[in-house]
Amino acid sequence: MSVYEHPDFDSHENVLFATDEASGLKAILAVHSTARGPAVGGCRMWTYASSTDALTDVLRLSQGMSFKNVMADLPIGGGKSVIMKPDGEFDRKALFEAFGRALNALNGEYMSAEDVGTSPADIQHAHRITQHVVGLPGGTGDPSPVTAKGVYLGIEASVERALGKSSLAGVKIAVQGATGHVGEYLVRRLAKAGAELFLADIREPELKALAGDVGAVIVEDPDAIYDVEADVFTPCALGAIINPSTIDRLKVKVVAGAANNQLQTREMGAELQKRGILYAPDYVINAGGIINVMGDIDPKFDSVWVEGKLVTLKATLGEIFDLADKEGRPANIVADEIARRRLQRAADAKGHDEAA
Ligand code: NAD
């Protein structure tokens, strides 16, 4: 397994491989950038086929957090961690305490929150050992409703741009992962706005209940969500779902959703553009959760501040679309470049301060 040569290494500042034989912990903690402050990002626990897969995931996610945090103009850097889920039964408390020790080894360079496969209770176990966590029970709470609100605003902006509609009433939206934490809040908002919804999830009973509640169409085979004739495809489940085997199935004008790393490769952005599909860069529109978590870092980041940031998120998306339009380039590439420029400016300023 190569690290420095890894295609996603992208000059990470620090990558820590942590193991603890007693608890079975195998974790990778990746700090992409601390140019704007301590890196913040969730800890994902997943059954990875290999440590190479875990490394690829954490590097991509960690860079994504840097881009997300800088595009939302937050005073934090970007990082992420992954735990390779132990086989069979394991002691969660011991595992996350060991994870807490790994966090301490980074001396506050990185602060972890929950993510896919982990919960605030897990983070609380880590908190017995370390201060370097956010998103504890009793703190700002579940970030999903705020993420959903940001995604909702992003869908509005994208629909206005691609379809010239200032309202979502009657707009056909296909949601993947409809009953998830973000998915359900989002679906309820979209339904309230009068959108015509097509919902897919692998959790059938929850899907049936939600669709019944909001009067949506159920997409029986979750994989058929890519074929739905709609205006918008809203991925809220998995990463890498825009790839060579799905892209030609899409019959939409917009891809805008909560999932991280929706494009399997950056080139997929150009492929969407070629097909006349507007892509709302994931890390721009799904920043609501991290914006909300800022309240755990400093109480001055209160709910009024959060609301303001969500409005800014929509404006930032508009600026990306403007530039992409003007230059005839894919929105994801334009967003990446803005994020990189901002990170470089912050790194230069930090270097300057440290040298002074
Ligand atoms: P979640 O696990 O609660 O929801 C995911 C949903 O997707 C589940 O209902 C699951 O059953 C469904 N699903 C899984 N495989 C599927 C498939 N093949 N087809 C259809 N549905 C499938 O996760 P979440 O917290 O709602 O997050 C969803 C996505 O948004 C993730 O990619 C996450 O990284 C991203 N995200 C979440 C937040 C947040 O605040 N929770 C913030 C930013 C980004």
Side-chain angles (χ1 to χ4, degrees):
M1 177 176 55
S2 62
V3 180
Y4 292 118
E5 300 77 15
H6 193 290
D8 298 304
F9 183 67
D10 194 38
S11 304
H12 265 71
E13 286 179 18
N14 207 342
V15 180
L16 176 72
F17 293 83
T19 51
D20 175 66
E21 223 172 299
S23 63
L25 180 78
K26 283 187 186 151
I28 311 176
L29 292 74
V31 179
H32 181 256
S33 167
T34 58
R36 293 169 58 97
V40 182
C43 170
R44 176 168 292 194
M45 183 154 71
W46 198 250
T47 304
Y48 291 100
S50 67
S51 53
T52 306
D53 286 0
L55 178 66
T56 300
D57 203 28
V58 78
L59 292 176
R60 293 192 69 193
L61 290 164
S62 162
Q63 185 214 48
M65 285 310 297
S66 275
F67 285 11
K68 184 184 309 208
N69 297 343
V70 78
M71 289 306 270
D73 198 17
L74 303 178
I76 51 174
K80 200 94 179 185
S81 49
V82 297
I83 295 178
M84 297 180 70
K85 192 171 182 181
D87 294 333
E89 294 283 306
F90 62 95
D91 178 348
R92 276 188 104 94
K93 182 167 165 281
L95 191 82
F96 281 91
E97 285 180 355
F99 178 65
R101 287 192 285 279
L103 285 169
N104 276 342
L106 288 173
N107 291 318
E109 253 179 65
Y110 165 62
M111 298 171 83
S112 183
E114 62 159 319
D115 195 71
V116 175
T118 61
S119 69
D122 295 328
I123 298 304
Q124 198 163 28
H125 292 319
H127 186 49
R128 290 164 56 86
I129 308 295
T130 183
Q131 293 300 314
H132 308 309
V133 289
V134 286
L136 291 165
T140 52
D142 180 6
S144 310
V146 185
T147 303
K149 185 163 184 193
V151 173
Y152 175 86
L153 294 172
I155 292 174
E156 270 189 342
S158 308
V159 163
E160 191 162 2
R161 185 67 58 136
L163 307 173
K165 292 190 180 176
S166 57
S167 145
L168 294 181
V171 174
K172 295 185 176 155
I173 304 181
V175 184
Q176 180 181 49
T179 75
H181 284 102
V182 180
E184 180 168 354
Y185 285 111
L186 180 61
V187 162
R188 292 191 186 279
R189 266 185 190 276
L190 293 170
K192 234 186 211 164
E196 203 178 311
L197 296 170
F198 302 84
L199 309 182
D201 204 292
I202 50 173
R203 304 193 304 160
E204 282 176 29
E206 288 86 349
L207 182 61
K208 212 169 156 204
L210 179 65
D213 227 23
V214 299
V217 174
I218 292 178
V219 180
E220 298 287 349
D221 171 6
D223 183 61
I225 193 76
Y226 303 107
D227 307 312
V228 173
E229 303 226 8
D231 301 304
V232 183
F233 171 47
T234 294
C236 294
L238 318 158
I241 34 70
I242 306 295
N243 58 50
S245 49
T246 59
I247 196 160
D248 283 321
R249 295 168 59 188
L250 298 178
K251 298 174 182 67
V252 293
K253 289 282 168 224
V254 171
V255 173
N260 281 315
N261 293 337
Q262 292 167 31
L263 307 180
Q264 188 177 57
T265 60
R266 292 175 89 219
E267 290 67 38
M268 285 294 117
E271 293 301 318
L272 285 172
Q273 189 198 20
K274 262 190 222 160
R275 289 160 177 78
I277 301 174
L278 181 66
Y279 172 64
D282 43 19
Y283 58 78
V284 178
I285 81 164
N286 72 12
I290 188 76
I291 289 171
N292 191 56
V293 159
M294 291 302 293
D296 286 344
I297 296 176
D298 191 325
K300 75 178 177 210
F301 302 119
D302 60 8
S303 57
V304 176
W305 178 87
V306 168
E307 283 302 307
K309 275 287 172 199
L310 293 181
V311 175
T312 312
L313 177 158
K314 191 173 179 179
T316 303
L317 189 61
E319 285 162 27
I320 293 165
F321 288 157
D322 284 344
L323 201 58
D325 259 358
K326 190 169 137 211
E327 297 179 352
R329 294 191 313 137
N332 67 309
I333 302 292
V334 168
D336 285 2
E337 285 176 5
I338 298 173
R340 276 191 192 286
R341 269 202 303 276
R342 289 186 183 183
L343 284 173
Q344 191 55 52
R345 264 206 306 274
D348 291 348
K350 191 179 173 195
H352 187 264
D353 286 352
E354 280 170 359

